[in-house]
Amino acid sequence: MRDNRNNDKEPLGTLTTKPTFALQYLPGSAAAGCFGGKVGLHLLSKEPVALASPIFYYILPRFASFDGFDPRTQVLGRPKVAVLSGFDTHGRHVVRLDYRGNCEPLVPQEQTINLVRFRHLADAGVDTDVLTICVATPTPITGSGQPRQPYRLAAMAPETTWLGEAVITVHPKETIAVETKARQSISSQGQSAS
């Protein structure tokens, strides 16, 4: 993405390119009470990027909770990890990875980092919500795409840069079991009619 704004540091007409991140979502089950998937950030730049004192926020859907980090991928450095919930987060779990007071993490080019696992709450009904990742850092960076609900994001994570989001859907386990049995029944009826 190109930034054409004059920020008094560059002459008019000068174009600067900010490193761009994309959210990477690897879905799990849509069933309530099950592993819902994992989500992380993928640096699209061909060069590594050093981030100054970043604080990453993973805003989980209202029906999901933090389930740790994926052990097969890299968590940059040693962030202070906190799971926030309650009124300030509009009832959502927010996973905060805070690198302040730590070394500046160097994000490797074209790799996915800080892959967070999440689990659907056991009592979740049929629902769809957005999972969002944003960051607070003085380093100029950007996300790919546009937020679906920018006003909600501004209320939940002011002073941050949006990096990406994914639409997540959950269904009660009973609904999925009934749908699976119905498909199997239809499939076996089709085979016996042949």
Side-chain angles (χ1 to χ4, degrees):
M1 180 181 276
R2 296 187 184 270
D3 183 2
N4 293 322
R5 294 173 290 173
N6 182 9
N7 60 10
D8 296 329
K9 294 180 186 172
E10 303 175 77
L12 285 173
T14 301
L15 298 178
T16 57
T17 302
K18 296 179 187 177
T20 302
F21 286 86
L23 180 140
Q24 183 169 18
Y25 168 52
L26 304 164
S29 171
C34 293
F35 167 70
K38 44 193 170 182
V39 63
L41 287 170
H42 187 83
L43 178 61
L44 300 176
S45 171
K46 300 282 185 200
E47 300 293 325
V49 174
L51 298 176
S53 303
I55 306 170
F56 291 98
Y57 297 93
Y58 288 64
I59 304 170
L60 301 181
R62 63 183 155 262
F63 47 77
S65 63
F66 177 57
D67 194 32
F69 293 98
D70 184 70
R72 292 170 288 192
T73 59
Q74 182 178 4
V75 175
L76 289 180
R78 295 178 187 253
K80 296 175 196 133
V81 179
V83 180
L84 314 172
S85 62
F87 176 77
D88 292 346
T89 63
H90 298 262
R92 288 169 167 73
H93 288 199
V94 177
V95 181
R96 180 179 66 198
L97 284 72
D98 188 346
Y99 288 90
R100 290 177 298 183
N102 210 332
C103 63
E104 287 188 356
L106 183 66
V107 181
Q109 71 273 19
E110 300 180 334
Q111 288 189 25
T112 302
I113 57 155
N114 297 349
L115 206 55
V116 166
R117 296 171 47 94
F118 66 93
R119 178 170 291 283
H120 298 308
L121 301 177
D123 61 351
V126 175
D127 203 352
T128 299
D129 197 14
V130 176
L131 184 152
T132 304
I133 301 178
C134 49
V135 65
T137 180
T139 307
I141 60 174
T142 189
S144 62
Q146 296 293 321
R148 288 176 180 81
Q149 300 174 339
Y151 299 110
R152 187 190 85 177
L153 178 63
M156 290 174 50
E159 311 279 326
T160 62
T161 300
W162 176 91
L163 295 178
E165 62 188 35
V167 176
I168 313 292
T169 300
V170 65
H171 299 281
K173 277 187 177 179
E174 298 81 35
T175 304
I176 291 175
V178 168
E179 289 173 0
T180 302
K181 284 183 182 180
R183 277 191 226 115
Q184 290 171 345
S185 175
I186 291 169
S187 174
S188 66
Q189 287 174 359
Q191 291 174 352
S192 63
S194 306

